[in-house]
Each structure stands twice: as C-alpha cells, then as structure tokens.
C-alpha cells in the first residue's frame, strides 16, 4: 500500500495562490517530481462540455522554471505549449501568473468578492505524466474565504486536493470566497450547494429541498433504487449575478450562473418563471452526470485538449438532456402539467420560428458546433438549428412514438438500457439505433435516423394528441410577423437579425439598422408601428432607417397574421380518451 508521503512525492503538484485580487491574478507553481529530459507542458485550448476553442493560454503570463538552484530555459513552441530542457533527476518547478476575469462558468475569475477557476484554465498538462495523481494546493486565501469543490481532500494536508489523473483534475472546478453553503442527502449520496453572491433574503432551505427532489428523482430514474450512483459526493457551485444564465457539467459537480433575482426568497412561496428556469438548469446539469460525463460519444472516450473534438451526437447528449431537464420538474412535483406544457411550447416556438431548421440537421449542427452554434451572429437563425432545442423535440417525438405504439416502450427504457449495456461508458449512434430497434422496432430506429439527419419538421401535433394534448397557436408578435429580431434601449430600436423569406428582408432591412420613424412619425417601440398606419394604404409602412450614418427610406409590406410564424400553444384536450389520459400520466409521472 502506497503511503501518503510517497503518493505526494509522485504526484504532479499545483500550488494555486491568490496573488492579486485587484489585478485579478492567480500565481501558479507547478512541480513535476521526475520530468523527462525534454519535458513538454501545454494548457488546454477548450473545456469539455463547451464546444469552442477558447485559447485559455492567452491569459498566461511569463513562464519561468528551475531545477533546484538551476534556472531552466523555457521555449514556447506554440500558442499553448512550452518545452523545457531538464537535467538530472531533480524536480522541475514551473511558475507563471494567470489573469482571471472571466465571469462565465468556463474559465477563471478573481476579484475582492470571490474566486473561481476550472483547472483547464490554470493547470498546465504535463505531457507523458497525465496518468499520475495530480494535486492542487490553494494558497493565499483572504480572511473569511472558503473553498468549494468536489475534488477529494487530501487527508492531513490543509487546503490540498487530489485527483487520480489529469482528466479527473480537469473535471473539478473550484469556488473560493465567503459563500453560503448547504447540504442534503439524495438516495444515500451527500450533496452540497454552494451559493456565491446571493441576496440576504435567499431562502436556502427551499433551494436545498427543491434540488433534493430533482436529484432523488434522477437517481431513481437511472438506477431504479437498485444500484449506487457513480459519484460518492456531488457539489453545486452557483454564482449569482445581476444578469446571467448558464451551466457547465462535471463528473461530480456543476458550475452554474444565474440572476440573483431568480433565487427563492424568504417568505415567498410562489414559483416564479425565473425560479423555474433556475430549477431547469439544475436539473439539466445534474442529468449530465450520467448523460455526457459517463454515457458519452465514443469519440470522447479520451479528450484531446489540443484541438476540436468532433461528434454528430450532441443532439442526444445535449438535446435529450434538454428534454429531460424540465420533464423532471413535473415528475418531481415542482411544477404542474400546465406549466410544463407551456415550457415545451416555448421550445417548439423557438425552433419553428428559425429558418435555419430547414437548412441544417441536428446531426450537422452537432458537428459544426465549434464554428456555428458557439459562434452565433446576425445570420445564425437563418443557417443554424439548435441541437439543444430541436434535440429536445426529437427526444419528445421519440418518447411519444414509443409510448403510443402497440408494444409500449419509452425513452426512459432506452436511456437506462444504453447505460446498462455500455457500463456507463462511450456509445455510438449505431449502438443507440440498435438498442432502439430492440425496444421499438426498425421503424422507430428509422424515424430517429431521419429526424436527426434530415431537416423536416417533426410530427409532434399528432403525437401529442395521442397523449391528450392539444396543439394550437397564439397570436404572433409584430416582430414575428415581420421576421425581425430587435433590441430596444432608451427609445432606440436596433435590428439584430432579419429572417429569411420575411417581410423585413423583402423591405431591405439589415442587421445593424436603427428604426427612426414610420410614416413620418418618430418611433421608439417596435410594437407602436401599427399605430402609425396610413388609412389610405394600411398594408404598407414607410420606414426611415439609419444605416452607417446614412438615412434610408424603405417600404415595408405588412403581412397578415396567418402568414407569420406563430407561437405554439399547448393545452389539455377536453374529454380526452381514457387511453390518452393513461399514456399522459405515465409520460409525465415517469
């Protein structure tokens, strides 16, 4: 048995010091106990779960190195890679500062109120030594600050944490600061909730209760109370900001960001839309503990931190997770059926209102995530479909197809079956289709393949009707009628996006245009345009537009409501057949 001292000696060791709060700087000291004669170090260019090359190395300062008293020359060989010529058997000690001022969940942040980092932003990878144990020591914490992480604490070593290898190290974010901390147990697994930046009126006990219900429902879903979850402990790291939303999954934790206004407040029992959104985020990232962190694309069996890692399966790992996130809110009793139908109607509206769904499949969207979905611009709605949103629609269509068949099955069975067959490991599209064939027959597998590789709309109105759910449409907004997406600020209306085959495009409007006047009247809100109609010609609007300091006059033909993309509205069918009601109860009740 290896002694703690021997383990510490063999481990790759990082000392992460809080160096300068106001300059937002960490100081990292990396010790490689037994370096190669020619040792290479590199910093990842991306973080798993966020499919964009982010160039974290741009925040690394001057790198220096030594072996004992000997200064080791440092040679940078690429944007994120350094080489060191080592001598003898002495440990290589590398030092470098890292600028940390990214408030997202993907990188690193430090100021006088809090610190946060993902090791992929701070910890150079020691080539050839990735399989060794890796330790992180936190130093220089201000008085009153604490450490939050799911990484295993080193017994008998203050503020030190250890992982089995570099991949495990990379998968454990750290929260630093004077945060709020709460705990609960779900199906025998200790869970910790760390909240930074919350208002004093945070109802932490309610947050814990609601999160516990989600976690218990998901553990029961995957393991049916028969086997232990894959993590011994789980940590939620929530950063509260004035305006923000997002999350990033990890194997035993998640980093979350949300508006502090969306958190539950003492003395308030209602479930606001903002709180439902936060609960959906918690549910989404927790579901990833199984679906993407363990059950994952076969090409992700080992991550390549140096470049893009391509897969066509994000519709399954992100889209199907997006389907289950809100579904678990209704299954765990946090929202009712009507609230859930409203949420999925919003997803349908998002997808059906974007022309890009006719030009890109969700499989292609997955593959091109690195260059398209994660690099959105004014043309994104016309060229890209969200593998999150349409992937969730595909999951719903597949689930309802399986549930409505003569040989009743469900998407739940498919997910659990894949988990069991893969041993909670990598899977391919072929494996997914084979398992689906076993459950629902070849037709179900063919339908799924067509949906994910094609661009046709899904047969959801008919499938929902089998569950006793009515598909309808609400009145479109003026922006939807015109095919416009705008921002309104201080009385200025700026065009952000113009959709293909729209009245706005036919009129010649372009992203970046500012709408100044309509039919000779100053306009400050888009919805005010109909108030300025000319009764002699009510179907046309004369717009005064500012573009690149020039004033242009454009004529816009006002389309009818029937010809516009209209918001989807879902409701329960009156007097639905008994079979439909039974199927719906099984679907929403799990």
């Amino acid at each position: 048995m290896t002694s703690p001292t021997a383990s510490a000696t063999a481990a790759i060791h990082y000392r992460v010091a809080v160096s300068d709060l106001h300059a937002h700087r960490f100081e990292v000291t990396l010790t490689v106990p037994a370096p190669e004669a020619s040792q290479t170090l590199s910093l990842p260019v991306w973080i798993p779960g966020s499919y964009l090359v982010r160039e974290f190395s741009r925040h690394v300062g001057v790198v220096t190195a030594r072996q004992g008293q000997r200064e080791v020359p440092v040679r940078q060989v690429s944007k994120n890679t350094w080489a060191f010529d080592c001598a003898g058997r002495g440990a290589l000690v590398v030092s470098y500062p890292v600028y940390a001022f990214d408030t997202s969940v993907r990188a690193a942040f430090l100021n006088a109120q809090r610190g946060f980092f993902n090791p992929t932003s701070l910890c150079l990878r020691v080539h050839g030594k990735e399989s060794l144990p890796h330790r992180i020591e936190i130093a220089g914490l201000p008085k009153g600050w604490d450490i939050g992480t799911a990484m295993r604490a080193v017994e008998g070593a203050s503020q030190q944490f250890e992982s089995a290898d570099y991949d495990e190290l990379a998968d454990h974010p750290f929260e630093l600061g004077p945060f709020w901390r709460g705990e609960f147990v779900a199906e025998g697994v200790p869970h910790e909730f760390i909240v930074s930046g919350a208002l004093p009126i945070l109802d932490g006990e309610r947050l814990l209760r609601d999160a516990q219900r989600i976690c218990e429902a998901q553990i029961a879903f995957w393991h049916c109370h028969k086997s232990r979850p894959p993590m011994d402990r789980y940590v939620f790291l929530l950063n509260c900001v004035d305006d923000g939303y997002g999350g990033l999954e990890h194997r035993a934790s998640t980093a979350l960001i949300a508006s502090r206004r969306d958190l539950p407040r003492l003395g308030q029992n209602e479930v606001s839309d903002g709180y439902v959104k936060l609960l959906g985020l918690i549910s989404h990232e927790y579901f990833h503990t199984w679906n993407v962190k363990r059950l994952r694309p076969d090409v992700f069996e080992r991550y390549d931190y140096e470049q893009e890692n391509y897969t066509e399966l994000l519709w399954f790992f992100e889209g199907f997770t997006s389907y289950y996130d809100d579904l678990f809110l209704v299954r765990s009793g946090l929202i009712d059926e009507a609230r859930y139908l409203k949420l999925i109607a919003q997803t349908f509206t998002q997808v059906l209102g974007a022309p890009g769904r006719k030009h890109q499949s969700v499989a292609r969207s997955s593959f091109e995530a690195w260059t398209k979905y994660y690099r959105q611009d004014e043309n994104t709605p016309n060229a890209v479909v969200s593998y999150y949103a349409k992937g969730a629609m595909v999951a719903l269509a597949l689930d309802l197809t399986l549930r409505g068949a003569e040989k009743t099955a469900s998407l739940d069975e498919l997910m659990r079956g894949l988990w069991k067959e893969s041993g909670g490991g990598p899977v391919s599209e072929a494996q997914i289709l084979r398992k689906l064939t076993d459950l629902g027959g070849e037709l179900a597998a063919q339908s799924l393949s067509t949906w994910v590789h094609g661009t046709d709309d899904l047969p959801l109105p008919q499938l929902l009707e089998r569950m006793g759910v009515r598909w309808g449409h609400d009145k479109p907004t003026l922006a939807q009628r015109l095919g416009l997406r705008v921002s309104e600020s201080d009385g200025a209306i700026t065009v952000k996006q113009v959709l293909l085959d729209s009245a706005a495009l036919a009129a010649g409007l372009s992203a970046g245009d500012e709408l100044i006047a309509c039919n000779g009247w100053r306009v400050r809100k888009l919805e005010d345009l109909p108030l300025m109609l000319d009764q002699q010609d009510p179907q046309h609007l004369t717009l005064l537009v500012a573009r690149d300091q020039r004033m242009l006059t454009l004529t816009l033909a006002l389309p009818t409501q029937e010809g516009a993309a209209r918001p989807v509205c879902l409701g329960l069918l009156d007097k639905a057949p008994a079979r439909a009601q039974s199927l719906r109860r099984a679907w929403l009740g799990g």
Side-chain angles (χ1 to χ4, degrees), residues 30 39-47 53-61 63 74-84 96 120-127 166 304-308:
L30 162 61
Q39 183 64 65
T40 301
L41 309 178
S42 68
L43 195 66
V45 302
W46 71 291
I47 182 169
V53 171
R54 298 191 181 275
E55 313 292 22
F56 298 124
S57 60
R58 73 189 190 277
H59 295 309
V60 175
V63 178
V74 180
R75 180 165 49 91
Q76 187 166 0
V77 296
S78 73
K79 62 185 180 182
N80 68 314
T81 306
W82 292 261
F84 305 81
Y96 52 95
T120 44
S121 292
L122 265 63
C123 298
L124 294 174
R125 181 168 62 92
V126 185
H127 291 212
Y166 187 83
D304 182 349
Y305 296 103
E306 301 300 308
Q307 60 186 344
E308 297 89 341

Side-chain angles (χ1 to χ4, degrees), residues 118-193:
N118 288 287
T120 44
S121 292
L122 265 63
C123 298
L124 294 174
R125 181 168 62 92
V126 185
H127 291 212
K129 312 287 186 182
E130 293 91 343
S131 61
L132 292 176
H134 284 59
R135 284 193 174 189
I136 285 186
E137 175 188 357
I138 307 298
L141 286 182
K143 184 179 180 180
W145 280 34
D146 203 350
I147 302 171
T149 183
M151 191 179 293
R152 181 175 60 256
V154 177
E155 188 175 351
S158 176
Q159 299 182 344
Q160 290 195 35
F161 305 85
E162 187 172 54
S163 61
D165 52 30
Y166 187 83
D167 282 341
E168 185 179 328
L169 175 92
D171 220 5
H172 282 82
F174 281 71
E175 179 74 27
L176 312 174
F179 44 72
W180 179 88
R181 188 195 299 264
E183 297 177 346
F184 63 86
V185 176
E187 298 292 338
V189 178
H191 289 63
E192 192 172 18
F193 221 114

Side-chain angles (χ1 to χ4, degrees), residues 315-316 319-320 322-323 362 386-396:
W315 56 266
F316 182 87
F320 279 35
S322 295
Y323 168 61
V362 286
S386 167
Y387 53 77
Y388 285 91
K390 189 175 180 183
M393 293 175 64
V394 168
L396 173 61

Side-chain angles (χ1 to χ4, degrees), residues 235-487:
V235 180
F236 294 94
L237 305 172
L238 172 59
N239 178 32
C240 302
V241 296
D242 181 54
D243 184 24
Y245 175 82
L248 187 61
E249 68 276 1
H250 299 278
R251 65 181 68 187
S253 63
T254 180
L256 308 170
I257 186 169
S259 168
R260 54 179 60 95
R261 297 178 183 85
D262 291 342
L263 271 69
R265 303 180 184 183
L266 291 169
Q268 293 185 353
N269 296 319
E270 68 269 18
V271 184
S272 67
D273 288 345
Y275 187 43
V276 170
K277 184 179 178 182
L278 173 59
L279 292 174
L281 177 64
I282 291 168
S283 179
H284 183 99
E285 302 304 339
Y286 193 69
F287 197 81
H288 273 319
T289 307
W290 293 267
N291 195 40
V292 91
K293 294 313 301 183
R294 291 169 175 86
L295 193 69
R296 60 191 183 276
D298 52 353
V299 296
F300 286 1
E301 185 167 5
R302 288 301 300 268
Y303 294 117
D304 182 349
Y305 296 103
E306 301 300 308
Q307 60 186 344
E308 297 89 341
N309 290 213
Y310 294 101
T311 176
E312 289 191 341
L313 288 176
L314 295 181
W315 56 266
F316 182 87
F317 293 99
E318 290 291 356
F320 279 35
T321 299
S322 295
Y323 168 61
Y324 275 108
D325 54 20
D326 288 336
L327 184 58
F328 272 106
L329 301 189
V330 69
R331 285 185 176 181
S332 57
L334 293 170
I335 61 174
D336 59 19
E337 289 185 359
R339 192 83 171 258
Y340 176 67
L341 294 179
K342 181 180 178 181
L343 291 173
I344 59 175
Q346 292 171 355
T347 301
F348 300 157
T349 299
Q350 175 189 342
V351 174
L352 297 176
R357 76 187 196 282
K358 294 294 187 181
H359 301 278
Q360 187 188 52
S361 69
V362 286
R364 179 53 47 182
S365 176
S366 300
F367 193 84
E368 295 180 323
W370 301 87
T371 55
K372 293 188 176 180
Y373 186 78
Y374 270 84
R375 293 185 181 274
Q376 298 197 14
D377 57 25
E378 68 284 345
N379 191 50
T380 292
N382 298 321
V384 175
V385 67
S386 167
Y387 53 77
Y388 285 91
K390 189 175 180 183
M393 293 175 64
V394 168
L396 173 61
L398 181 59
D399 198 6
L400 301 190
T401 296
L402 292 171
R403 292 178 182 276
E406 290 186 16
K407 180 187 174 183
T408 303
S410 70
L411 187 60
D412 298 359
E413 295 172 70
L414 175 65
M415 303 301 290
R416 287 192 290 262
L418 289 169
W419 175 265
K420 183 177 180 180
E421 289 185 4
S422 69
V427 296
S428 65
E429 183 173 335
Q431 288 174 275
I432 296 170
L433 294 175
R434 281 198 300 271
K435 185 60 182 176
L436 180 55
T437 301
D438 293 341
L439 283 173
E442 291 186 4
L443 185 58
Q446 290 170 4
S447 295
L448 177 61
S449 184
T450 298
W451 294 339
V452 300
H453 292 283
T455 56
D456 290 341
D457 290 335
L458 304 169
L460 282 166
Q462 306 93 305
L463 292 170
L464 284 164
E465 188 173 356
R466 293 185 195 173
M467 303 289 142
V469 177
R470 180 185 66 255
W471 179 287
H473 292 281
D474 282 335
K475 179 181 177 181
T477 64
L478 181 60
Q480 289 169 329
R481 288 176 63 189
L482 298 178
L484 266 183
R485 297 180 181 179
V486 303
S487 67

